[in-house]
Amino acid sequence: MSHLNTENIARSTEEVEWHPLRPFLPENARILFLGSFPPQRKRWCMDFYYPNWTNDHWRIEGLVFHGDRDYFADTERRTFRLEAIEAHCKEQGLAFFDTATAVRRLHDNASDRFLEVVEATDVEALTASLPQLRAIVTTGEKATQTLCQQWQIATPPAVGSAVEVPGHRFVLHRLPSSSRAYPLSLEKKADAYRHMFKTYLE
């Protein structure tokens, strides 16, 4: 009798999760942030990208653009000010989506290590609608690897650097993760983001 592959059986029974957000693609976008996939909805504090209250993406942008880490935060309600964020992104030309449109979570958490990509995003279609795009920005290893595989980039960019995307007018730029699990202070992360924004927005 053959042995059952219990790992494959477990994977096949995990529910496929489809991306819960529409791509946010302002026509003037010069930077497109692509993550891996949103965290579970139970962790959200708003219906937008980087929705986890303990993720520091919007604190970093508040610090970079306004000198105030809490500029986009409603600290009393422990949420972010969605209208202000959307207006800011449209004004600056910042677009958002992820490198997967469908995944299985192999563990009950948001870790990229336990995300199985079921359907990858059609990044070519996303970028075709952004004529002013200058950079795709990733902040995690899985998103970076996914794009490098799609574009056959042999050497992924190191954190804080960029590589040319063959046959395209934009680059792939990697930043430190805004997750608090990434071992770097908020101020040093903001320095890396500030340099990136200055490079592609000015």
Side-chain angles (χ1 to χ4, degrees):
M1 181 182 294
S2 62
H3 294 287
L4 294 174
N5 187 327
T6 55
E7 181 180 356
N8 287 343
I9 291 175
R11 287 190 177 195
S12 66
T13 58
E14 292 285 345
E15 183 178 354
V16 173
E17 186 175 338
W18 293 90
H19 204 294
L21 295 169
R22 298 184 65 177
F24 183 81
L25 305 173
E27 292 183 1
N28 66 331
R30 288 169 287 174
I31 295 170
L32 169 60
F33 281 90
L34 288 180
S36 53
F37 200 79
Q40 295 149 299
R41 187 172 280 275
K42 65 183 180 182
R43 302 177 186 274
W44 293 21
C45 69
M46 66 170 179
D47 290 342
F48 199 67
Y49 294 89
Y50 300 99
N52 190 334
W53 175 247
T54 59
N55 186 291
D56 284 329
H57 181 94
W58 299 112
R59 294 180 182 89
I60 291 170
E61 291 215 26
L63 195 58
V64 170
F65 287 95
H66 300 282
D68 180 2
R69 59 178 290 166
D70 291 326
Y71 184 85
F72 294 114
D74 181 340
T75 54
E76 288 187 7
R77 297 179 174 83
R78 291 176 62 84
T79 188
F80 297 106
R81 299 190 298 118
L82 178 55
E83 288 186 8
I85 286 172
E86 289 185 337
H88 159 78
C89 293
K90 289 176 181 178
E91 179 183 356
Q92 297 296 333
L94 308 179
F96 293 84
F97 198 56
D98 291 303
T99 55
T101 54
V103 300
R104 290 190 181 93
R105 297 188 194 273
L106 305 182
H107 284 254
D108 188 31
N109 59 40
S111 172
D112 281 357
R113 280 185 61 196
F114 304 115
L115 279 182
E116 177 188 351
V117 176
V118 175
E119 182 176 298
T121 298
D122 185 349
V123 179
E124 295 292 335
L126 283 184
T127 59
S129 68
L130 302 174
Q132 299 181 48
L133 186 66
R134 298 183 63 191
I136 288 180
V137 174
T138 59
T139 63
E141 185 175 0
K142 193 177 192 73
T144 306
Q145 288 179 341
T146 299
L147 293 176
C148 286
Q149 289 171 358
Q150 288 186 16
W151 287 318
Q152 298 182 336
I153 297 173
T155 305
V159 175
S161 67
V163 296
E164 297 289 333
V165 177
H168 292 78
R169 65 190 178 279
F170 50 80
V171 300
L172 174 59
H173 191 113
R174 185 171 177 189
L175 287 175
S177 172
S178 53
S179 167
R180 294 181 182 177
Y182 190 88
L184 195 67
S185 70
L186 182 70
E187 290 73 20
K188 288 186 177 179
K189 290 181 183 181
D191 286 342
Y193 281 62
R194 185 178 293 109
H195 173 74
M196 181 277 295
F197 285 127
K198 185 176 181 179
T199 300
Y200 305 117
L201 293 183
E202 293 185 358

